[in-house]
């Protein structure tokens, strides 16, 4: 009977060790600080997108609206045929002839905090034209970010100020990470969310004076 008792004790010890190991891993995952590498930079297609290097102050000054918000819905792309010649290098992609087909990508964003401007609603629509959608951060449902946006003619409809700047990921530990972490934005990577919003509000206030 003694060998069986020893076996039970060994098995119990193994189970306890495994449980402690898993628990330790979970605790590590919960307390591990966020980092820039948690948020990969956007894919750059280099086709029709536009990339302008802005620092934080320039982003705020350029944008009509700066908000913290969450993507709540990714709508179906909309294709619209518009008049006008198509550049030869893009003819195969966009269609030839005297018209061109433009694809508009729409995203609904729930406004959580207004840093600059007046959205006029708790929800806005972000519209991204053509292949620019391949160069901005992946705007999936539930994505919480700071957005620097341009105002379109239609009420509640906004566009991007750049395919690379004007987007900030927000981590679970309330830090911010630029979507495209270039040298210009290096100082912002890992900044406290509240600190970045305070800085942005300061720039907006200076611009309004």
């Amino acid at each position: 009977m003694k060998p069986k008792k020893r076996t039970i004790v060994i098995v119990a010890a193994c189970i306890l060790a495994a449980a402690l190991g898993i628990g330790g891993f979970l605790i590590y995952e919960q307390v591990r600080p966020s980092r820039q590498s948690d948020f990969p930079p956007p894919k750059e297609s280099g086709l029709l997108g536009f990339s302008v290097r802005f620092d934080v102050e320039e982003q705020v000054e350029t944008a009509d609206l700066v908000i913290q918000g969450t993507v709540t819905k990714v709508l179906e792309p909309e294709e619209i045929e518009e008049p006008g010649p198509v550049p030869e290098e893009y003819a195969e992609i966009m269609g030839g002839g005297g018209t061109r087909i433009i694809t508009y990508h729409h995203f609904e964003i729930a406004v959580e905090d207004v840093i600059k401007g007046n959205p006029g609603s708790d929800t806005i629509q972000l519209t991204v034209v053509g292949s620019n959608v391949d160069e901005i951060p992946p705007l999936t449902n539930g994505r919480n970010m700071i957005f620097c946006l341009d105002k379109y003619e239609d009420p509640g409809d906004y566009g991007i100020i750049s395919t690379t700047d004007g987007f900030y990921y927000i981590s679970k530990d309330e830090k911010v990470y630029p979507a495209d972490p270039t040298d210009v934005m290096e100082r912002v990577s890992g900044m406290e969310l509240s600190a970045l919003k305070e800085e942005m509000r300061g720039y907006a206030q200076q611009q309004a004076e």
Side-chain angles (χ1 to χ4, degrees):
M1 296 299 293
K2 288 183 179 180
K4 184 178 292 186
K5 184 176 181 181
R6 179 182 296 176
T7 301
I8 294 173
V9 172
I10 293 174
V11 170
C14 290
I15 293 173
L16 178 60
L20 290 174
I22 294 173
F25 173 76
L26 292 176
I27 292 173
Y28 171 77
E29 283 297 299
Q30 291 174 356
V31 301
R32 180 183 71 79
S34 60
R35 50 198 175 200
Q36 183 71 56
S37 59
D38 293 336
F39 306 98
K43 174 184 175 183
E44 295 192 14
S45 69
L47 179 60
L48 295 175
F50 60 97
S51 174
V52 182
R53 294 268 71 92
F54 292 132
D55 60 23
V56 176
E57 183 175 3
E58 291 169 329
Q59 290 174 31
V60 174
E61 291 177 350
T62 302
D64 295 311
L65 182 72
V66 182
I67 62 167
Q68 177 185 347
T70 297
V71 179
T72 56
K73 188 180 294 184
V74 179
L75 304 176
E76 288 295 322
E78 178 185 17
E79 291 189 347
I80 297 179
E81 189 173 294
E82 297 184 353
V86 178
E88 184 178 348
E89 60 267 35
Y90 303 137
E92 184 178 345
I93 298 172
M94 301 174 63
T99 60
R100 56 182 179 176
I101 298 175
I102 305 295
T103 302
Y104 294 88
H105 304 268
H106 304 291
F107 306 86
E108 285 190 5
I109 299 175
V111 179
E112 298 174 8
D113 190 14
V114 179
I115 300 169
K116 176 189 176 181
N118 180 12
S121 174
D122 293 335
T123 303
I124 64 169
Q125 179 172 276
L126 170 61
T127 297
V128 182
V129 181
S131 64
N132 288 334
V133 76
D134 296 324
E135 302 184 24
I136 65 172
L139 300 182
T140 53
N141 283 329
R143 176 73 76 187
N144 187 230
M145 305 184 78
I146 289 180
F147 299 88
C148 300
L149 304 173
D150 272 337
K151 187 176 182 180
Y152 282 169
E153 291 183 4
D154 295 336
D157 195 10
Y158 293 84
I160 59 178
I161 62 170
S162 167
T163 56
T164 52
D165 292 325
F167 299 93
Y168 298 83
Y169 294 112
I170 300 175
S171 64
K172 292 181 179 179
D173 55 355
E174 295 285 292
K175 296 184 184 299
V176 291
Y177 296 90
D180 195 9
T182 59
D183 292 343
V184 177
M185 301 303 299
E186 185 176 358
R187 72 172 184 86
V188 179
S189 182
M191 181 183 287
E192 294 289 340
L193 172 61
S194 58
L196 179 61
K197 291 199 292 186
E198 182 179 356
E199 179 179 333
M200 286 179 156
R201 284 193 170 96
Y203 295 139
Q205 181 63 35
Q206 291 175 15
Q207 188 180 17
E209 292 175 352

